[in-house]
Amino acid sequence: MMEQFKNALFYTALGKYSIVTVQLLVQAVLSRILTPEEYGIVAAVNIFLVFFQLLADFGLGPAIIQNKDLDSEEVNSIFSFSLYIAFGLAILFVFLGYPMSLFYGNDVFIPISRILAIAVFFYGILVVPQSILLREKNFKLVNITVVIGASVSGVISIILALLGFSYYAIIIGNTAKAFTLFVVFYIKTETKISLRFKWAPLKKIFAFSRNQFLFNFINYFSRNLDNLLIGRYFSSSALAYYDKAYQVSLYPNQVLTSLVTSVIHPILSDYEDEKDRIKRVYLRISNLLATLGMPLSVFLFFSAEEVILFLFGGQWDGSVLAFQILALSIWIQMILSSTGGIFQSGNRTDLLLLSGVLSTVFNVTGIVIGILMGQIEYVAAFLVLSFSLNLIQANYLLLIKMFQSSLLEFFKVLVKPVYLAIMQVAAFWLLPELPLNIFLSLVVKGLVFVSVWVVGLLITGEFKRLKLELQRARAMK
């Protein structure tokens, strides 16, 4: 298993770091060409695009990964079913622009929906081929393809933005990405398009995919209701500021957490009946993510202005305070993002669904309170509170319900990371205000963060433990 993890992590790291690099470069350019109002329109329509991607997935992807006994004929039948689903959703998305225009009070969503319907179709039919590659643990091909897709999207978006295509630049770029991903995944697998499909393979994965889909469906609203309501009751620019802050707060997940979480299910699904093994892996992952995440949250809280203005330019100063608040939850989101794969690996999507329901209750409550208070910063603050509550409920379901253990085991792995975070708070609190420009200020704070983190690792003994983990991994090569 360790060898599989190492190979998976290597190619996933290569893919994730490359994707984040591409995204940051593209966003840095586009954010200086397009206005917050134009970004707000894209953010508004993306809410619905993500929802239709969720419907198109239908929980089929994780179900295919989990069920190792599906043969090629059964997989092709599921692929044919997904083809019909994707086509139907694409047609529906064409007409979605009309209610969207009424909801937001802007007719621009009518032509936008017609273009993005193409993306909906291709995102729908790439689910099965991509899941086959993940089940086969072909992380190299998957990650290289995703990087290619992001690069194609970025180049097209920048060119069209320079030519004056406004928000259509990002929309057309996203559509090109969906097409690129499907073409490569389809060619590299043995899936075949057929107009006929059998119900038997679908029944075979129904229980798993049903719970997975319901979790995704519920989780969607808890994760996107903020953007939906901000776009409706505030303004396009307010939505753009908030969305930009939220997206930047997710970058640590993309760079750090997703390296592990994207391979948890494909690898640990082979050990479904070995709950103790899965628990040990989860606790080690949680400790590692907290060791990285807690100090990082402190650093980004104290460096929010430098990060936002350096990445996107002075016109995005409206995102600074919201990002500063959301930075406090980064370590929580990092750990929470790993729980889904653990539930899936233990074949407990029923608990995953329950966790999703509780998460939605907390998140929706926090978002609504923030909206009623009338500022995006309040939305961010109450989301941080809801994320904290979700960390507790998710680990209660994992440690007590799934592993028949105790929450104390989870909190124990957080003790030393808390010490590391306290050291960061003290360092930045004592750091004097320096008369430097944005870039130099960010560099100085970055050096302080790294220095204090390394010293903290040495003092707490975490450096020795992490070194030992690395040696164990090498020994199992």
Side-chain angles (χ1 to χ4, degrees), residues 61 63-64 101 114 134 164 168 171 178 200 251 280 334 347 442 452 475:
I64 290 173
S101 295
R114 295 169 183 169
L134 289 174
Y168 285 109
I171 290 165
Y251 280 140
R280 289 195 302 271
M334 289 172 67
N347 200 17
L442 183 60
V452 174

Side-chain angles (χ1 to χ4, degrees), residues 13 102 112 168 170 208 247 255 335 339 364 372 389:
L102 291 175
I112 286 177
Y168 285 109
I170 300 177
F208 188 99
Q247 291 304 316
V255 175
I335 295 177
T339 59
V364 168
L372 291 174
L389 295 174

Side-chain angles (χ1 to χ4, degrees), residues 173-187:
N174 198 353
T175 303
K177 173 185 175 183
F179 175 76
T180 302
L181 293 178
F182 168 71
V183 169
V184 177
F185 290 151
Y186 180 73
I187 291 175

Side-chain angles (χ1 to χ4, degrees), residues 29-51:
V29 175
L30 290 177
S31 295
R32 288 166 170 80
I33 301 174
L34 305 180
T35 66
E37 288 76 15
E38 290 172 313
Y39 259 99
I41 290 174
V42 175
V45 75
N46 275 345
I47 299 170
F48 296 91
L49 176 62
V50 171
F51 180 65

